[in-house]
Amino acid sequence: MVATLTSTPPSFLPLWRRKLPTYNPTQCLGTGKEALEISSNGYIKTNTIGFPEKGISTRPGTSSTPRPPRPRRIILVRHGESEGNVDETVYTRVPDPKIDLTEKGKAEAEECGWRIREMIEKDGANDWKVYFYVSPYKRTLETLRHLGLAFERSRISGMREEPRIREQDFGNFQDREKMRLDKALRLRYGRFFYRFPNGESAADVYDRITGFRETLKADIDIGRFQPPGEQSPNVNLIIVSHGLALRVFLMRWYKWTVQQFEGLNNMGNGNLIVMQKGYGGRYSLSMHHNEEELREFGLTDEMLIDQEWQKTARIGELNYDCPMVNSFFPHFEDEGCIT
């Protein structure tokens, strides 16, 4: 977004209406190569413009040890087709956490694994590895087991079962007719705030995903995924979870609004979305996906503009030309702000 001044001379405008000069990292970074040259694994060097206090971090007891490299990608995978996806009556007799994959779902999971491997190998790095986070539900564990067939042991640096990325709780054993009514009510009430009786709302899932995100960021900062003695930038994190949980994760990571969340479409079974490290160290969906794919997922113009900014922005920087701010306040139109 580009903000322009009105024809009124700035000196005659009230201070609160004047446009103050801001640093635009998108313009200053130049090419991707230049961005990499002025950053170290996405962390701002102390002699560059931005937030130098976030540039180099030290570990306890040290004075100059830089943070380990950030993973190259965070790959979000939805479980393969489950028995509940093809027959909703399964939820009335089998606990949700114990529902199996179908044979088709197992094949989808294995195919997804090979797709991920092919994507990683295109980087041309020899030292690449993967690290998994997985929901404790049976269908996600089975998805990981089949997805993992694409990777030999030496390529897997570890895995962790993570309950906070489990499926939205719909309330234990489900009554089929009551669930249909509840889902209809959810559409009227709002997909984010409607809480299923004895279950969760998407807002509840947001709260626990927030805790997981903080753990994930801490793991990234301390290099938990790095094998002993290694500092490789070619680690890829793979999160195997559920459709709603993954959409909420993206909402939390990119600070999307409730309205933007409710416009997102669910991922297909066995499909993936890739958050790839950009030229300045932040993760962007636009590094891997094209505009058509992201629009199909439900991203709006404002969200797409932000993803382009994420491609070149550095860690610790803020997007002062945030399009959502310009469009939210209608009086900015009088100042000539482009939304």
Side-chain angles (χ1 to χ4, degrees):
M1 291 306 152
V2 178
T4 59
L5 295 175
T6 64
S7 57
T8 305
S11 58
F12 294 98
L13 286 172
L15 181 60
W16 65 272
R17 292 196 62 189
R18 297 181 195 175
K19 175 175 173 58
L20 301 178
T22 58
Y23 168 61
N24 189 329
T26 304
Q27 296 174 349
C28 294
L29 281 175
T31 65
K33 182 178 179 182
E34 292 170 350
L36 290 174
E37 288 175 350
I38 61 176
S39 66
S40 175
N41 184 41
Y43 285 89
I44 307 164
K45 294 182 178 179
T46 55
N47 60 348
T48 60
I49 299 174
F51 295 81
E53 70 278 7
K54 296 187 180 181
I56 298 295
S57 175
T58 59
R59 295 173 180 170
T62 66
S63 58
S64 60
T65 305
R67 287 179 176 176
R70 292 189 121 202
R72 183 176 292 274
R73 299 178 182 87
I74 302 175
I75 303 169
L76 311 181
V77 176
R78 185 187 176 200
H79 62 81
E81 180 186 80
S82 72
E83 293 178 347
N85 293 135
V86 296
D87 179 10
E88 292 186 353
T89 64
V90 171
Y91 294 108
T92 66
R93 58 182 184 274
V94 180
D96 197 2
K98 296 182 179 180
I99 290 178
D100 292 301
L101 290 183
T102 63
E103 290 303 312
K104 178 182 177 182
K106 295 174 183 178
E108 289 172 338
E110 184 172 351
E111 180 186 1
C112 182
W114 288 107
R115 286 172 58 196
I116 292 173
R117 179 167 187 137
E118 180 181 5
M119 173 176 57
I120 294 173
E121 288 182 334
K122 287 181 180 178
D123 296 335
N126 294 322
D127 62 343
W128 63 267
K129 285 181 168 54
V130 294
Y131 186 100
F132 300 105
Y133 290 91
V134 60
S135 158
Y137 278 36
K138 190 173 183 179
R139 56 185 177 274
T140 41
L141 294 171
E142 288 183 344
T143 295
L144 176 56
R145 190 166 289 116
H146 286 82
L147 181 154
L149 293 173
F151 306 98
E152 55 270 29
R153 179 63 183 89
S154 62
R155 294 295 187 183
I156 301 175
S157 62
M159 64 169 287
R160 182 189 299 175
E161 184 177 291
E162 177 50 76
R164 289 173 294 183
I165 59 173
R166 68 188 184 275
E167 176 65 289
Q168 178 182 8
D169 189 345
F170 293 102
N172 303 321
F173 290 106
Q174 298 177 19
D175 181 285
R176 189 178 182 186
E177 293 304 317
K178 186 175 185 306
M179 182 57 62
R180 287 180 178 177
L181 175 61
D182 287 336
K183 288 184 176 181
L185 289 173
R186 179 177 61 173
L187 291 177
R188 292 174 53 194
Y189 193 89
R191 288 170 54 194
F192 187 75
F193 292 111
Y194 181 80
R195 178 180 287 119
F196 286 89
N198 302 313
E200 290 182 304
S201 65
D204 296 322
V205 177
Y206 183 96
D207 292 340
R208 55 178 164 87
I209 289 291
T210 294
F212 168 68
R213 174 182 175 272
E214 296 308 307
T215 298
L216 179 63
K217 290 183 66 178
D219 286 350
I220 290 174
D221 288 343
I222 66 175
R224 187 179 299 277
F225 325 107
Q226 299 288 346
E230 296 186 20
Q231 292 287 299
S232 172
N234 299 307
V235 175
N236 296 266
L237 305 185
I238 301 174
I239 300 175
V240 183
S241 183
H242 309 263
L244 182 132
L246 293 175
R247 298 198 306 277
V248 170
F249 176 84
L250 288 168
M251 175 192 184
R252 180 63 184 88
W253 189 280
Y254 291 116
K255 302 176 179 62
W256 291 340
T257 67
V258 170
Q259 183 179 8
Q260 289 169 334
F261 166 81
E262 292 185 335
L264 297 176
N265 298 309
N266 203 6
M267 299 165 55
N269 292 115
N271 278 346
L272 53 87
I273 288 182
V274 180
M275 303 164 59
Q276 185 165 321
K277 190 169 64 177
Y279 305 117
R282 297 174 75 114
Y283 292 100
S284 171
L285 300 176
S286 295
M287 289 294 296
H288 178 82
H289 299 282
N290 60 40
E291 180 181 335
E292 182 180 356
E293 291 172 333
L294 294 178
R295 286 192 182 278
E296 183 178 353
F297 182 54
L299 268 68
T300 63
D301 289 342
E302 292 177 347
M303 297 161 79
L304 290 170
I305 290 170
D306 181 66
Q307 290 303 312
E308 286 298 313
W309 177 82
Q310 301 278 353
K311 287 171 67 173
T312 53
R314 290 171 292 185
I315 298 169
E317 291 176 346
L318 301 176
N319 186 0
Y320 289 102
D321 288 330
C322 176
M324 189 179 71
V325 174
N326 293 344
S327 62
F328 182 81
F329 296 99
H331 67 279
F332 285 170
E333 295 180 5
D334 299 333
E335 300 177 39
C337 292
I338 299 174
T339 59

